[in-house]
């Protein structure tokens, strides 16, 4: 059985130790940031979003557990665009637990938690190259609201 459990400070520290680097890597892969600036920009964004770390108001961090074994993490927060919307900043399922339905189950539980907190909607961002996540989100009822697109320019 999947459960969401509030992260401890130790869980948060472990999460943060890889989250900034992972985010920087995704921004590089997407072509949004250069390698030279990615880690610095990712660090700055996390500092802006989480000035008080795990204690930052309106941010909710959970371990995703399966039978008391950690299989992932999820971070939701009050949307900066709409206070009635919970925004999923991060959902990670550990590699060895992927493709077992844990992401979909975690999204359902996160929605239940968001309702308990008082949110009416849930939103997220997904990198266009992340086909696995896009599939899970669509299967979980998320709809596309915005699409950013980019094209490499050449003189040909």
């Amino acid at each position: 059985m999947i459960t969401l459990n509030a992260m401890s400070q130790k869980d948060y520290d472990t999460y943060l130790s890889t989250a900034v680097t992972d985010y920087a890597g995704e921004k590089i892969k997407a072509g949004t940031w250069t390698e030279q600036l990615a880690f610095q920009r990712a660090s700055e964004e996390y500092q802006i979003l989480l000035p008080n770390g795990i204690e930052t108001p309106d941010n909710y961090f959970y371990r995703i557990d399966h039978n008391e074994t950690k299989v992932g993490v999820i971070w939701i927060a009050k949307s900066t665009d709409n206070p009635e919307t919970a925004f999923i900043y991060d959902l990670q399922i550990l590699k060895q637990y992927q493709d077992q339905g844990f992401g979909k189950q975690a999204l359902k539980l996160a929605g239940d938690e968001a309702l308990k907190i008082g949110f009416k909607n849930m939103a997220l961002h997904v990198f266009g190259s992340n086909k696995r996540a896009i599939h899970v989100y669509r299967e979980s009822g998320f709809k596309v609201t915005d699409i950013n697109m980019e094209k490499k320019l050449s003189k040909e």
Side-chain angles (χ1 to χ4, degrees):
M1 180 171 90
I2 292 290
T3 57
L4 294 187
N5 298 297
M7 272 191 201
S8 66
Q9 183 65 51
K10 182 180 176 187
D11 290 328
Y12 175 80
D13 293 342
T14 300
Y15 163 72
L16 200 59
S17 72
T18 60
V20 173
T21 303
D22 291 348
Y23 180 57
E26 289 294 332
K27 290 294 229 178
I28 292 166
K29 190 165 76 173
T32 309
W33 293 341
T34 65
E35 283 189 49
Q36 295 79 11
L37 296 175
F39 185 78
Q40 176 187 337
R41 286 191 175 171
S43 297
E44 289 168 356
E45 280 197 21
Y46 269 76
Q47 185 57 43
I48 290 166
L49 291 169
L50 300 168
N52 299 320
I54 197 170
E55 299 297 327
T56 302
D58 299 321
N59 285 266
Y60 309 90
F61 295 90
Y62 302 97
R63 279 176 50 123
I64 303 165
D65 292 324
H66 177 251
N67 297 331
E68 299 183 25
T69 298
K70 178 181 172 185
V71 298
V73 297
I74 190 165
W75 164 24
I76 64 174
K78 181 171 25 173
S79 170
T80 57
D81 295 327
N82 180 347
E84 293 183 340
T85 298
F87 190 85
I88 300 173
Y89 275 96
D90 204 357
L91 168 60
Q92 296 179 8
I93 301 298
L94 301 173
K95 285 209 183 297
Q96 65 267 35
Y97 299 107
Q98 292 178 2
D99 297 321
Q100 298 178 44
F102 294 141
K104 196 171 176 180
Q105 292 174 56
L107 286 168
K108 168 72 172 102
L109 292 175
D112 294 345
E113 283 293 313
L115 279 171
K116 285 181 202 172
I117 294 166
F119 294 110
K120 295 180 180 174
N121 311 296
M122 186 168 272
L124 55 84
H125 167 270
V126 62
F127 288 100
S129 64
N130 195 341
K131 303 299 181 205
R132 172 184 287 162
I134 291 169
H135 172 76
V136 170
Y137 297 140
R138 283 191 171 139
E139 289 286 313
S140 297
F142 286 85
K143 306 288 184 226
V144 174
T145 58
D146 300 284
I147 297 176
N148 293 331
M149 298 176 82
E150 185 173 303
K151 173 184 172 180
K152 296 284 182 199
L153 299 176
S154 67
K155 294 184 179 189
E156 297 176 0

